[in-house]
Amino acid sequence: MDAPNPDYANAVTAAVLALPAAAHLGFTFGSLGPGSVGLDLEVRPEHTQHDGHVAGSVLGALADYAGGSAAGTLLPAGWTNLTTDYTVKIVAPARGERLVARGRVVHAGRSTTVAAVDVHVVSGAAEVLCATALVTMRNLKVG
């Protein structure tokens, strides 16, 4: 996939990391390419439920941001995107030190973009799929 904005990496990381929710949760970018992203989260106690598993709401937020970020890499300069829908399926408990969400664009249109995201939980050297998601973004010209 080709990125219409040659400065997509700076545009996406600046936009996402400036969002209060992303900063509060502690998201960081592990990888970023045209149509794909790796978004990481070091698990902290406030991300977990009483039993130590990462809360579903945190998994959903991570998947949403990863899908939106992947979609954002394919936007022209001067455009942004907003989530219109996302569906998360939790397939295994998320208990570990870190989460890695890998998002990829499956359809990039002028008005909407759809991304698929797989979220893995990492414990030591082991990495296990814990959630998968589809994220739909509405593409908007700014200004």
Side-chain angles (χ1 to χ4, degrees), residues 17 20-29 39-42 44 47 62:
L17 297 179
H24 174 72
L25 288 168
F27 298 154
T28 59
F29 284 90
L39 198 59
D40 300 339
L41 176 65
E42 295 295 325
R44 303 186 310 242
H47 297 140
L62 182 61

Side-chain angles (χ1 to χ4, degrees), residues 33-137:
S36 67
V37 68
L39 198 59
D40 300 339
L41 176 65
E42 295 295 325
V43 176
R44 303 186 310 242
E46 59 266 33
H47 297 140
T48 64
Q49 303 177 130
H50 65 284
D51 60 2
H53 293 94
V54 176
S57 57
V58 175
L59 295 173
L62 182 61
D64 178 28
Y65 278 80
S69 296
T73 66
L74 299 181
L75 292 175
W79 284 65
T80 192
N81 59 16
L82 300 170
T83 305
T84 59
D85 178 68
Y86 70 93
T87 303
V88 177
K89 301 299 181 187
I90 299 170
V91 298
R95 186 179 190 128
E97 297 113 32
R98 185 167 55 98
L99 297 173
V100 177
R102 295 184 185 99
R104 64 180 175 80
V105 171
V106 294
H107 171 76
R110 179 169 168 79
S111 61
T112 60
T113 301
V114 178
V117 181
D118 286 329
V119 181
H120 294 82
V121 62
V122 179
S123 290
E127 186 175 298
V128 175
L129 177 69
C130 61
T132 189
L134 279 178
V135 180
T136 304
M137 304 299 292

